[in-house]
Amino acid sequence: MDKTLPDLAAAVAGIEDGMTVMIGGFGGSGAPIELVHALIDRFLATGHPKNLTVVNNNAGNGHVGLAALIEQGMVAKLICSFPRSADPRVFTDAYLAGKIELELVPQGTLAERIRAGGAGIPAFYTPTSFGTDLAKGKPVEEFEGRAYVQERWLKADYALVKADRGDTLGNLTYRMAARNFGPLMCMAARTAIVQVSALVEPGSIDPETVVTPGIFVQGIVQVANPAQEEDLNRANARYPEDAA
Amino acid sequence: MDKTLPDLAAAVAGIEDGMTVMIGGFGGSGAPIELVHALIDRFLATGHPKNLTVVNNNAGNGHVGLAALIEQGMVAKLICSFPRSADPRVFTDAYLAGKIELELVPQGTLAERIRAGGAGIPAFYTPTSFGTDLAKGKPVEEFEGRAYVQERWLKADYALVKADRGDTLGNLTYRMAARNFGPLMCMAARTAIVQVSALVEPGSIDPETVVTPGIFVQGIVQVANPAQEEDLNRANARYPEDAA
Amino acid sequence: MSKLTSTQIAWRAAQDIADGAYVNLGIGFPEMVAKFQPPGRQAIFHTENGILGFGEAPAAGSEDWDLINAGKKAVTIKPGTAFFHHADSFAMVRGGHLDVAILGAYEVAETGDLANWSTGPKGVPAVGGAMDLVHGAKRVAVITDHVTKDGKPKLVKTCTLPLTGVGCVTRVYTSLAVVDVQDGRFVLREKLAALSFDELQSMTGATLYIDGDVADLTVPEL
Amino acid sequence: MSKLTSTQIAWRAAQDIADGAYVNLGIGFPEMVAKFQPPGRQAIFHTENGILGFGEAPAAGSEDWDLINAGKKAVTIKPGTAFFHHADSFAMVRGGHLDVAILGAYEVAETGDLANWSTGPKGVPAVGGAMDLVHGAKRVAVITDHVTKDGKPKLVKTCTLPLTGVGCVTRVYTSLAVVDVQDGRFVLREKLAALSFDELQSMTGATLYIDGDVADLTVPEL
C-alpha cells in the first residue's frame, strides 16, 4: 500500500513511446522540473520515450523543464492553452518548423476536459469558444436559448505532478498557486506520479486539508528542495547543462 | 463586502413562493437545521414561502429539519436520490397521498448536475442510469463504443448550507463528512446562505484550506452550537415543538 | 444441505480483495465485508458521502454524526483518511478509480445486468449511489443469497425487476457458489462441496457454464 | 486633441467597479485597473490560475514564484485569499460568478463580438483563458485605444480577426470615449469634451448611437 518510489528514475520508468503525459504547472508554478528532467535523462540514455503527446497549460519557457523536453525532440504533440512565455523559442522554432503538432484549447475548457477525464464524463457542453475558430468541427447544441459547444474528456497514460506534502498513501497538499492543474491531472491519468517536497507518514496531513486524495495517485517520490522554473530561467539554466 | 447577516430570520427572508432551494446535508450530517427551522418560522408567521422545489440528497428524517419543512406542506417538489431514512414517514405519507412530487436522481448524477449548474456546464454525459428507468426520455449518445446518458445542470435560487468556519467574505471550511453537497450547492445557487459554527475575520482561515471560496457565498450567519439532526431524532424532537 | 450465512458470504468476498485496493461496500449486508480482510492486507474503503480510508465503527455513545458512512452509520478516521465533497466522491466512482464495488442484489442476469434498487412501482422509490457504483469500479461484485426467500433464483437469464445497470456485474458470491459473469454467461468458479452441479443448476435461473476447474467453496465457521 | 493614456483608460474603467465586486483583469494592460480602485471600495480579484482575493505585487526580490497571477507576475496574499485548482477557477468564470471581466481587444463589433486572441494564421496561436472569460462574467468590459496604431477603427461593424467570443462585450472604455454595446448597437455614453461627435464617429467603424445624455469623459492626470 506504500506508494513511495525509490527515486526519480524509477518514477518515470514506465513512460513509453507514444504515450500521453500530462505535466502539471502553470508557467513555472507547479512545474515538476525534476520529474521532467528525469525523463530527459532516460531519453538521453536509452532513446526513449519519444513521440509523446504532452498536456500542459503552456509550452515551456527557456531551456529547462517542458521546454527542454521539447528541445530534445521527445514531444510529437502538445495540447495546451497558451504556448507563449518569456522565452518561448524552443516551442516556437519546433512548431514553425513543423516538428511538433499543436492542439490549442481554451484554458477553462482544458481544465474541464481533464477533470471530465478523471470523473468519467466523456463529454460536456460549454459556452466557451462558441462561434470561434476553436469550435470548428465540434457539435453545437442549444440549451435554454443559448448555444454551447460539445467538448470531450482528456485522459492520459501518465501525469507528472508537483505537490508540496504527500503521505505514503498519496494524499497531497499543494503550495499556493502551484496547485493549478495538479489535482485534475492526478485524476485523469492512469498512472499519476507526484514529486513532493516532504514525504510524510499517513496521519501527518489533516484529513480536512487533503487536496488530492490518495486514490488519484499511483506513485510518489520526494524531491526535498525542488527547483523553481522561474529561478532556473532567471539564471539562464539549460538542461542538460552541457547542452549550452 | 461584509456578507454577515444579522440573524437567521434575515438569512431566509429572501426566499419566495415557488423558488428552488438546495438544502445541504447527507442524512443529518451537514443538515442546516437552524436555517430550515427559520424558514418554517417564517412560514408559520406569514404563510410564505410555499410551493418550494427542494434539492437534497434525502427526504428528511423524523419531524425536524427537511422533514418538518415537508410536514408543513411547504414543499411542492423534491429532487433527491434517496428518500428513505430511519423515520421517513413524513415524506412517505405526503408522497403516497400525492401531495409532493418526486424527481429521483442517482446520487452521483445529482452531485454532478449541481456542480454543472455552478460551473456553467448546461449538460454532460454519464454512464450512470444508462438502460434503466431513470434514463427514460433522456438523450443517449455513444462515445468510444460505450453508451452514455445526457444529464442537465441543476441550479437554484437559494442554497441553505451548514459549514464549520466561515469568514465575513464567505470563505468556508466544513467539518468531516458534513462537507458532502455543501460546496456544490454554494456554487449552484444564485444566493447561497451559510450557517457557520464560527464566524471569523478574513485572514483567520489558511488560504490553502478554504474549501468554498467566498465568491460562491452571498450571506453568512453564525449558529454557534448547531443542532445535529441525528441527536434531535434520537430525542424524538419535533419542529415546531408544540406540533407534538 | 447447509448454505453459507451472510457473514460467510461476506468473508468469501473479502478474500478476493487485494492489499491496498480501493473498495466501496454497498449499504447494509455488504458493509460486513470490511470485517474480514485477510491478515496482511489492508483495503482502503470509500464511502459516497465523501470519506476515503475511514476506520471501523466507534464504540456506542462515542459517535460523531458528522462522521458517517453512506448507510448513515458512524465510522472513525484513521491515519490517511481524506474528506472531500460529493462531486469529487463520485468522480472517484464514475472515473474508474475504485478497484472493487461490492453490492447486494435482487437479481443478476447472465449478461451482467443488475437489479438492486427497486422491487417495482409500489411505495417510494430510492436509488442512492447504486446506479453510479455499478459504473466505474474495475470489478463490480455482488453478494447475495443464491435464491430468494421464496426459493426463486436470483441468478437469472434476464432481470424482471427495474435495472440498476446494464452489463456491469463481473462476479457473484452467493450462499452456494462463486460465479463469474463472462461474455454474457455465468461461469461457475466455486460451489459448496456437498452440492452437486445439477442441484446448483436447478436453483439457478440461467445456464451455468464450466470453464476450467470448479473449486470447493470453503469458508470458516463465523 | 489629446487622447487618454492607457493608465487613464484603466482609471476610468476602475470607477465602474463596485465595492465587493469579483473582478478578473486580463493579462497585460488590463492589470493596471487594480491600481485605481476608488477610495472606500475594495474589489476582490480573481486570477485564472487559482487565486481569489490576492494582493499587489511584492517588492522586487521578494517574489514567490508559486504565488503568481495569470500573467505570471508575482502577487501577494492578503486576509481572505483562497487557493483552488483550475477546474474550480473556471467554474467561477464560466458559472457566472464574476461580476466583471476587463479585457484588451484588437476589435470589438457593434454586436458585442470580441477579437483579442489572434492576429491571424501566422505565428504561434495562443488563447489562454480569454475565450472562457468572455462567457460567464456578468459584465465583460474592454479597455483599448480607440484606433489601431495605424489609425484604423477598433470599434467595428464586424470583426475581421478571429473571434474570441460572440456577443459578449457589454462596455468599451477607449482612449476617446465610453461606449456601451446594447441590442447590437454602439451607444455612446461619454466622450472627451474636446472631441465633437462627428470627429469621434469618423474614428469609429460602426454607427455610434445616442440614447440619453452623453457625458464628458474626464479623468485625472496620472
Side-chain angles (χ1 to χ4, degrees), chain A residues 26 29 58 81-84 104 107-109 126-128 132 146 175-177 179-181 184 228 230-231 234, chain D residues 48-49 64-66 68 70 72 83 85-87 90 94 117 124-129 131-132 135 162-164:
Chain A
F26 179 89
S29 66
N58 302 98
S81 89
F82 201 76
R84 282 186 204 144
L104 192 70
Q107 197 172 127
T109 298
T126 173
T128 301
T132 77
R146 191 171 169 194
R175 189 166 177 275
M176 301 194 283
R179 187 183 302 193
N180 57 70
F181 285 90
L184 310 173
Q228 184 67 263
E230 184 74 23
D231 291 330
R234 284 174 183 242
Chain D
E48 293 95 302
N49 54 316
D64 184 324
W65 298 111
D66 283 344
I68 58 175
K72 277 95 173 179
F83 298 119
H85 62 51
H86 247 83
F90 281 89
R94 207 190 299 105
W117 74 280
V124 179
V127 66
M131 284 192 186
D132 305 281
H135 297 288
L163 291 185
T164 305

Side-chain angles (χ1 to χ4, degrees), chain C residues 92-131:
Chain C
M92 294 176 192
V93 172
R94 206 191 299 106
H97 303 282
L98 294 174
D99 294 297
V100 193
I102 299 182
L103 306 168
Y106 298 141
E107 296 174 324
V108 180
E110 63 182 357
T111 52
D113 292 0
L114 172 66
N116 81 344
W117 74 281
S118 169
T119 52
K122 276 185 206 162
V124 180
V127 66
M131 284 192 186

Side-chain angles (χ1 to χ4, degrees), chain D:
Chain D
M1 181 217 59
S2 85
K3 61 177 193 172
L4 302 191
T5 62
S6 292
T7 313
Q8 288 173 313
I9 301 172
W11 180 90
R12 176 61 193 87
Q15 306 312 301
D16 290 346
I17 300 177
D19 184 40
Y22 289 96
V23 181
N24 184 295
L25 301 175
I27 68 178
F29 164 30
E31 289 177 42
M32 244 194 287
V33 172
K35 290 186 192 163
F36 299 115
Q37 293 180 70
R41 293 192 223 161
Q42 203 174 354
I44 299 172
F45 294 101
H46 166 269
T47 181
E48 293 95 302
N49 54 316
I51 323 178
L52 191 68
F54 58 90
E56 293 174 14
S62 65
E63 299 92 348
D64 184 324
W65 298 111
D66 283 344
L67 186 56
I68 58 175
N69 66 13
K72 277 95 173 179
K73 295 198 190 75
V75 296
T76 49
I77 63 167
K78 52 182 205 175
T81 296
F83 298 119
F84 36 85
H85 62 51
H86 247 83
D88 282 349
S89 183
F90 281 89
M92 294 176 192
V93 173
R94 207 190 299 105
H97 303 283
L98 294 174
D99 295 296
V100 193
I102 300 181
L103 306 168
Y106 299 141
E107 294 174 325
V108 181
E110 61 182 359
T111 53
D113 292 1
L114 173 67
N116 81 344
W117 74 280
S118 168
T119 52
K122 274 186 206 160
V124 179
V127 66
M131 284 192 186
D132 305 281
L133 281 167
V134 298
H135 297 288
K138 292 179 189 77
R139 287 205 305 123
V140 176
V142 157
I143 54 176
T144 178
D145 219 318
H146 200 84
V147 296
T148 66
K149 280 175 186 156
D150 304 339
K152 286 184 193 146
K154 298 183 79 165
L155 279 67
V156 296
K157 218 169 156 47
T158 307
C159 293
T160 58
L161 292 169
L163 291 185
T164 305
V166 174
C168 53
V169 175
T170 54
R171 175 166 273 202
V172 187
Y173 302 94
T174 81
S175 45
L176 305 178
V178 177
V179 175
D180 280 346
V181 175
Q182 209 172 289
D183 304 323
R185 313 195 304 184
F186 285 128
V187 178
L188 182 63
R189 296 300 179 195
E190 298 177 15
K191 68 172 181 57
L192 291 179
L195 190 73
S196 73
F197 178 85
D198 289 347
E199 284 173 308
L200 184 66
Q201 179 65 75
S202 73
M203 287 183 278
T204 308
T207 306
L208 287 172
Y209 289 83
I210 291 176
D211 173 15
D213 285 346
V214 175
D216 286 345
L217 171 54
T218 54
V219 301
E221 295 296 325
L222 290 166

